[in-house]
Amino acid sequence: MKEVILFVLTFIFVLMIYEIFVVSKTKKRKAKGEDNGREPIEIVYLIKKYNLDMKKVNYNQLLQIVAIVSSLDIAIVVTIVMIPMNFFLLILLGFVSCIGSILLSYHLVYLFYKKKGMIK
């Protein structure tokens, strides 16, 4: 039960931080027309790796999806790392779960946009 509470609280906290520092600042820059190539790294990854067509994508929706996915990844890794075990095993498991959850979650975002026909 403690793990579920930790997961939910971590998810909500990280999502709020991500909304404040990444999503709102990016939306303000876009609204002002200050698009000087300073995209969030997650969006750059989706564009370069999966050829996401930004002309078809609703940018605000993409920002929200990225915020939710990133928060979910961090919450999963924190929950896994908080399981008491050997220190070296904990570091290894944290690293593997971090990389694995990021790659898997952004591949799922790619599949979502591919299904909607928003890939070049």
Side-chain angles (χ1 to χ4, degrees):
M1 187 65 182
K2 292 188 302 185
E3 290 83 10
V4 174
I5 293 171
L6 175 68
F7 176 80
V8 170
L9 290 177
T10 305
F11 176 76
I12 292 171
F13 178 73
V14 172
L15 184 61
M16 288 174 33
I17 297 297
Y18 203 90
E19 289 284 335
I20 292 169
F21 289 108
V22 176
V23 174
S24 65
K25 288 187 179 188
T26 304
K27 284 183 181 180
K28 285 180 187 176
R29 277 198 317 264
K30 284 284 188 183
K32 290 181 182 178
E34 297 177 4
D35 188 25
N36 53 1
R38 292 177 50 195
E39 299 281 338
I41 193 69
E42 295 91 346
I43 293 176
V44 172
Y45 175 76
L46 287 169
I47 292 170
K48 298 229 186 231
K49 171 112 171 126
Y50 297 116
N51 294 321
L52 191 62
D53 191 2
M54 292 306 291
K55 294 176 184 168
K56 296 180 182 178
V57 173
N58 180 352
Y59 192 74
N60 290 333
Q61 179 189 25
L62 179 60
L63 281 174
Q64 295 300 321
I65 289 173
V66 165
I68 291 170
V69 166
S70 296
S71 301
L72 186 65
D73 291 343
I74 293 170
I76 289 170
V77 171
V78 166
T79 305
I80 289 172
V81 169
M82 294 306 290
I83 298 171
M85 62 178 73
N86 183 355
F87 178 74
F88 294 109
L89 183 60
L90 187 72
I91 297 296
L92 180 65
L93 187 63
F95 180 73
V96 170
S97 65
C98 182
I99 299 298
S101 68
I102 290 170
L103 292 176
L104 178 65
S105 62
Y106 285 108
H107 187 74
L108 293 175
V109 171
Y110 158 72
L111 293 176
F112 171 75
Y113 280 113
K114 183 180 177 185
K115 185 176 178 183
K116 292 200 174 251
M118 296 183 183
I119 303 295
K120 293 180 187 175

